[in-house]
């Protein structure tokens, strides 16, 4: 049963503890990740456009009758993919040129802001950018989604500050989010 002369203090669990404050997001690194993701997307669209162009001009895509539109459909697809490449290139250019000014607790959310919101204990991170809405990247284990001022979420966050609670209407539901960090 052990030596009664040895006394072991009771184990005490802390009922609450604080996590160290998370490091601020390095926007230069975040933007670099976004540009890299968009560059990969461009490469994929270029390959797809090339394949669709080859399909459109292939001998077997030649219309066999007036109702056969395989070649025409492939050319539309190639054109759409090429247009998407142009959109992505413009997005990269505008995101690279975006001002990376720091935001303080006093600054309202605006273009270039990195924003974390909290809803029901879950943190979500966003970068408010001029283009590339919906692009998601992971930086230091943190998932970040690019939103634009034209998006419903972007429109509702602009002008608010860190600590504000905002009602965000998405997909027909209204939920309250607290702006955790800007």
């Amino acid at each position: 049963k052990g030596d009664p002369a040895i006394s072991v203090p009771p184990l005490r669990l802390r009922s609450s503890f604080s996590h160290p404050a998370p490091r601020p997001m390095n926007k230069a690194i975040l933007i670099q990740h976004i540009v890299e993701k968009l560059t990969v997307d461009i490469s994929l669209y270029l390959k797809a456009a090339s394949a669709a162009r080859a399909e459109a001009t292939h001998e077997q895509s030649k219309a066999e009758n007036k109702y056969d539109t395989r070649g025409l459909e492939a050319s539309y697809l190639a054109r759409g993919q090429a247009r998407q490449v142009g959109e992505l290139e413009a997005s990269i250019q505008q995101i690279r040129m975006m001002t990376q000014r720091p935001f303080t607790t006093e600054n309202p959310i605006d273009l270039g802001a990195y924003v974390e919101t909290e809803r029901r204990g879950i943190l979500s991170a966003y970068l408010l950018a001029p283009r590339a809405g919906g692009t998601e990247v992971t930086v230091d284990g943190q998932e970040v989604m690019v939103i634009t001022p034209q998006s419903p979420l972007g429109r509702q966050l602009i002008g608010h500050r860190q600590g504000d609670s905002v009602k965000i209407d998405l997909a027909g539901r209204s939920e309250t989010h607290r702006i955790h960090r800007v």
Side-chain angles (χ1 to χ4, degrees), residues 80-146:
Q81 290 165 332
R83 190 172 21 254
Q84 187 63 30
V85 167
E87 287 289 319
L88 290 170
E89 288 172 340
S91 294
I92 288 172
Q93 185 178 23
Q94 284 190 357
I95 287 172
R96 279 185 173 152
M97 292 173 36
M98 188 171 58
T99 304
Q100 294 182 34
R101 72 180 174 96
F103 284 79
T104 67
T105 56
E106 301 303 314
N107 298 124
I109 295 171
D110 200 1
L111 204 58
Y114 168 79
V115 181
E116 289 179 1
T117 65
E118 182 266 327
R119 179 183 59 84
R120 297 184 198 154
I122 299 171
L123 285 179
S124 299
Y126 307 97
L127 177 69
L128 191 62
R131 297 177 78 128
T135 301
E136 294 183 49
V137 296
T138 302
V139 179
D140 293 334
Q142 174 68 53
E143 289 182 21
V144 181
M145 178 184 278
V146 177

